[in-house]
Amino acid sequence: MDFRHSDEIWRDFPQLVAGVVFATGISGDAVADDGVARFTAIAKSRLAGATESELPEIQAWRRAFTTMGLKPTQYRCASEALLRRFRKEGALPRLHPLVDVCNAVSLAFAIPVAVFDVAAISGCLRVRYAAGDENYLTFSGEAEHPNPGEVIFADRAAQVHARRWTNRQSGLSAVRAPTHTALIVAEAMHDSAPSDVPELIAAVVAELTAIWSITPAAAVLSQSAPRFTFGE
């Protein structure tokens, strides 16, 4: 199996920096409290000095959404949505230790972090422009088709695992109690992304290693090295 962004995405968004982690040996009974507390404290400190919309990481994604023809206050990147909820409520709901720790890392870095159950991915995963005939499953179980030209995460079976790029993941590959293998993707476009994304990926690897005693595979992708091969 492999993951990559299409050539067209790299052409249109050359400022993109992407990091990926593949982890096997995940279980839902682990405890991630220490990491969650540590990274949410960082987010709280950052939000004490600025709202999420003022952060350079979020501003860069807002510009990207505008470029894609999306109203950025209607469709927010995942990290902005998390930060907004965290600022208003003071905490995020606990879902699964892997999701919880990745959400906390996303809060701290203000960078979208997607987490996919690899068992639900068919063959490969591409970030590409949609043709419009792909299939997307909402978390409520409804079927949708992305708009033609929309940036999506799609596999070989034309199943969509995220819509509007970093806006919304699919219920199909959501991490749940039975999840054993996961692919984690972080993407950023702000000026310091070339140093921030590797730091984020290292943080995720360290947390997964500490929580599950596993050795994840990881990489930072670029236009010249866009492919990440993963699998058990």
Side-chain angles (χ1 to χ4, degrees):
M1 302 177 73
D2 68 352
F3 168 84
R4 66 168 296 168
H5 295 76
S6 72
D7 292 341
E8 292 76 17
I9 294 296
W10 286 112
R11 177 199 66 202
D12 295 343
F13 299 91
Q15 71 274 37
L16 172 67
V17 182
V20 285
V21 177
F22 172 74
T24 185
I26 299 299
S27 63
D29 58 356
V31 178
D33 294 353
D34 289 348
V36 170
R38 188 166 61 256
F39 288 110
T40 53
I42 294 171
K44 185 176 181 179
S45 177
R46 294 194 72 185
L47 289 173
T51 63
E52 64 278 359
S53 63
E54 298 174 290
L55 299 175
E57 300 90 341
I58 302 304
Q59 291 178 344
W61 272 112
R62 284 191 168 205
R63 291 191 294 270
F65 274 44
T66 299
T67 298
M68 291 187 287
L70 299 173
K71 187 176 180 181
T73 54
Q74 180 180 3
Y75 299 109
R76 305 175 193 274
C77 75
S79 54
E80 180 178 0
L82 286 175
L83 283 162
R84 191 166 184 259
R85 182 169 186 174
F86 179 72
R87 176 173 55 81
K88 291 182 175 182
E89 300 179 8
L92 295 179
R94 305 298 283 270
L95 304 170
H96 181 286
L98 177 59
V99 176
D100 297 342
V101 76
C102 286
N103 279 348
V105 169
S106 180
L107 285 176
F109 284 85
I111 291 173
V113 177
V115 188
F116 305 100
D117 187 331
V118 170
I121 299 173
S122 178
C124 61
L125 192 61
R126 298 283 180 269
V127 183
R128 61 172 175 81
Y129 291 111
D133 57 355
E134 299 90 351
N135 299 303
Y136 173 84
L137 183 69
T138 69
F139 277 85
S140 61
E142 298 175 354
E144 296 179 354
H145 297 292
N147 298 316
E150 181 181 320
V151 179
I152 58 173
F153 283 63
D155 66 18
R156 190 172 294 160
Q159 299 172 127
V160 176
H161 297 276
R163 287 196 62 184
R164 304 180 193 92
W165 205 337
T166 54
N167 169 244
R168 184 75 63 182
Q169 288 188 231
S170 167
L172 179 64
S173 51
V175 169
R176 296 183 173 91
T179 298
H180 179 70
T181 57
L183 183 71
I184 301 159
V185 181
E187 297 161 295
M189 299 197 193
H190 58 289
D191 289 344
S192 60
S195 59
D196 292 342
V197 170
E199 184 181 349
L200 182 156
I201 293 300
V204 170
V205 168
E207 290 300 313
L208 270 56
T209 301
I211 295 168
W212 284 281
S213 299
I214 59 176
T215 305
V220 176
L221 307 180
S222 65
Q223 191 167 8
S224 59
R227 188 185 305 273
F228 178 71
T229 302
F230 60 96
E232 292 189 84

